[in-house]
Amino acid sequence: MKQARLQKIQRVLSLRQPTLTVLLEEVHKPHNLSAILRSCDAVGAMQAHAIVPRGGMPTYNATSGSAEKWVPLHTHKQVIPTIEDLQKQGYQVLATHLSERAVDYREVDYTRPTCILLGAEKWGVSEDAAKAADQNIIIPMMGMVQSLNVSVAAATILFEAQRQRQVAGMYREPQIEPVTLKRLTFEWLYP
Ligand code: SAM
């Protein structure tokens, strides 16, 4: 039993993508937060970032399958310094935002270190954050409704990133350092 769990943990960690993440700008509904973390886990994103909403950080939805245990969420106070910090670390920050410079999300190279910036349920990504991002991306909408639910948009883009990374062979070899892999194996086995 323990052996099977160890093998599963090692397999999942060997597929983790330390260079793929999301930044949530004041996403405040617990079920959206939980659903996004679940998608992050599914594509192997190692961690997620969030700007704390005005009303405080929502508690997770218990129906999420507890993805937050496997995808740590780092909270930040301000969006622009957080974007700048991620850019300094080498991430391209892609704001999901309709603007003149927005491109179809399928035109982007997600094999590069990538952070997908997603906006609040009502207001979307702020203008300042969209400007600070390296690129604006959009999922083309052809129906009567103008936008998708934020967790659906996150999943759509994350799975395009997964597809591209799979084609590029990024799930074939572990992307995390052996020492980190060892540490996380221990932490996940004995939480
Ligand atoms: N009125 C808001 C706006 O204009 O952005 C709608 C926000 S939408 C419900 C919440 C978030 O979902 C957006 O900020 C974006 O992150 C994501 N989203 C929704 N539809 C999208 C689409 N078609 N393309 C890219 N992202 C989308």
Side-chain angles (χ1 to χ4, degrees):
M1 182 67 182
K2 205 143 205 176
Q3 189 61 22
R5 185 159 174 78
L6 173 64
Q7 278 171 1
K8 180 170 183 186
I9 286 173
Q10 285 174 330
R11 182 174 53 79
V12 169
L13 283 173
S14 74
L15 298 171
R16 279 298 198 239
Q17 303 288 303
T19 57
L20 180 62
T21 191
V22 295
L23 170 58
L24 314 177
E25 190 183 11
E26 300 201 42
V27 170
H28 68 276
K29 293 192 177 163
H31 60 273
N32 285 336
L33 185 62
S34 293
I36 293 169
L37 291 181
R38 203 166 173 165
S39 295
C40 284
D41 177 61
V43 302
M46 268 190 81
Q47 51 196 352
H49 299 269
I51 305 303
V52 179
R54 265 148 269 190
M57 214 52 211
T59 46
Y60 298 108
N61 189 331
T63 61
S64 71
S66 302
E68 64 275 6
K69 274 197 281 188
W70 316 116
V71 184
L73 181 70
H74 303 285
T75 55
H76 309 268
K77 286 203 174 100
Q78 291 178 307
V79 70
I80 303 299
T82 307
I83 291 173
E84 287 171 351
D85 194 40
L86 286 160
Q87 288 168 330
K88 273 189 212 132
Q89 291 174 45
Y91 287 87
Q92 59 170 342
V93 177
L94 307 173
T96 51
H97 182 73
L98 185 59
S99 70
E100 271 180 15
R101 68 185 182 117
V103 298
D104 185 314
Y105 77 105
R106 291 162 292 200
E107 288 174 24
V108 172
D109 177 4
Y110 296 94
T111 63
R112 291 177 53 195
T114 299
C115 172
I116 300 156
L117 169 61
L118 296 139
E121 289 84 351
K122 200 160 185 183
W123 313 114
V125 170
S126 64
E127 285 298 332
D128 286 351
K131 276 196 192 114
D134 298 277
Q135 182 68 269
N136 290 184
I137 58 172
I138 197 80
I139 302 162
M141 302 285 293
M142 293 165 191
M144 296 289 284
V145 181
Q146 269 182 347
S147 64
L148 295 166
N149 168 279
V150 63
S151 68
V152 174
T156 304
I157 298 164
L158 283 169
F159 277 89
E160 170 62 9
Q162 185 214 49
R163 188 193 68 77
Q164 289 189 16
R165 283 170 175 243
Q166 211 155 17
V167 171
M170 293 174 78
Y171 291 95
R172 247 177 261 144
E173 297 293 329
Q175 301 287 307
I176 47 182
E177 298 293 323
V179 59
T180 311
L181 209 132
K182 229 176 176 175
R183 177 178 56 78
L184 288 173
T185 304
F186 186 80
E187 286 175 10
W188 284 22
L189 202 54
Y190 304 105

